[in-house]
Amino acid sequence: SQQGEEDPQALSIQEGENATMNCSYKTSINNLQWYRQNSGRGLVHLILIRSNEREKHSGRLRVTLDTSKKSSSLLITASRAADTASYFCATDFNQAGTALIFGKGTTLSVSS
Amino acid sequence: DTAVSQTPKYLVTQMGNDKSIKCEQNLGHDTMYWYKQDSKKFLKIMFSYNNKELIINETVPNRFSPKSPDKAHLNLHINSLELGDSAVYFCASSRVPVQGVAEAFFGQGTRLTVV
């Protein structure tokens, strides 16, 4: 069963602009994670935010979490061409937390 | 050193054949997973193993059988391959979940094409 839904499905921006991707989920969670997937490659973990946190930063990444709205956003500031990739949010279930359930992803294209 | 490695990277085979995909992690993790990514990039959990014990077995045809000889390996065997099995299969590993699933490390994927 799918847990997360990213929005938008695709995003095209110019280098230097900010990119914002949103994720909504259905059930209560322990944590929410964001991953990046470059074309033809495996997924790479970007950031994890716990259910009791509201905001987290890592370099040019800023993640927010609103558990009341069951939503999260990923902001990439000052985008670079190398940020071109698909971005996925992933959640677990607030029980055993036995696996990550991924959303459909946002495809980000950054042109120079 | 590759943290999670899968072999082969590409696999082209005919319908009806049986094939295996191997996965090994050198991170010392106790939990390993298999995911299937379809042509629309949707990732679906197939199996989750914790210390060689099957934890999750999502709605996957029983033609798919995971095997974990030790906690560093989780292989995927597929019998009687069908066209619909064509996808990219990812192996992943993480520490044992404590307060939620920890950061997962993914292999590079195996692109399976059934003809």
Side-chain angles (χ1 to χ4, degrees), chain A residues 99-100, chain B residues 4-8 20-24 31-37 43-49 54 56-58 60 64-68 73-78 88-93 106-110:
Chain A
L100 290 173
Chain B
V4 181
S5 59
Q6 296 178 227
T7 53
S20 292
I21 306 172
K22 295 186 176 181
C23 178
E24 175 182 6
T31 306
M32 295 185 72
Y33 314 88
W34 277 107
Y35 283 87
K36 178 181 179 180
Q37 187 172 45
L43 274 154
K44 185 177 186 300
I45 179 71
M46 299 175 69
F47 302 102
S48 169
Y49 265 74
L54 181 64
I56 286 180
N57 181 357
E58 284 291 295
V60 175
F64 290 81
S65 55
K67 286 187 171 47
S68 182
H73 295 83
L74 181 62
N75 304 323
L76 183 65
H77 189 76
I78 315 169
V88 182
Y89 292 83
F90 286 99
C91 176
S93 73
F106 281 77
Q108 63 182 0
T110 296

Side-chain angles (χ1 to χ4, degrees), chain B residues 98-111:
Chain B
V98 175
Q99 290 186 322
V101 178
E103 169 189 355
F105 292 78
F106 281 77
Q108 63 182 0
T110 296
R111 181 173 294 275

Side-chain angles (χ1 to χ4, degrees), chain A residues 1-2 30-31 33 35 37 39-45 48 50 85-86 88 92-93 96-104 107, chain B residues 9 31 33 35 37 40-45 48 55-56 58 90 95 97-109 111:
Chain A
S1 59
Q2 185 188 337
N30 293 300
N31 64 54
Q33 303 182 35
Y35 286 78
Q37 184 180 30
S39 181
R41 307 295 294 272
L43 282 81
V44 174
H45 180 265
L48 180 153
R50 300 206 178 278
S86 293
F88 295 88
D92 58 4
F93 296 109
T98 48
L100 290 173
I101 308 299
F102 285 84
K104 292 182 178 178
T107 299
Chain B
K9 186 171 182 180
T31 306
Y33 314 88
Y35 283 87
Q37 187 172 45
K40 296 182 179 178
K41 295 189 178 179
F42 177 50
L43 274 154
K44 185 177 186 300
I45 179 71
S48 169
I55 302 298
I56 286 180
E58 284 291 295
F90 286 99
R95 290 179 286 105
V98 175
Q99 290 186 322
V101 178
E103 169 189 355
F105 292 78
F106 281 77
Q108 63 182 0
R111 181 173 294 275

Side-chain angles (χ1 to χ4, degrees), chain A residues 6-8 11 19-23 34 61-62 64 72-76 83 85-88 105-108:
Chain A
E6 283 91 343
D7 168 52
L11 182 59
T20 299
M21 289 158 263
N22 303 297
C23 168
W34 284 91
L61 306 180
R62 172 178 168 250
T64 62
S72 173
S73 68
L74 171 68
L75 168 67
I76 304 173
D83 294 327
S86 293
Y87 292 82
F88 295 88
T106 292
T107 299
L108 173 65

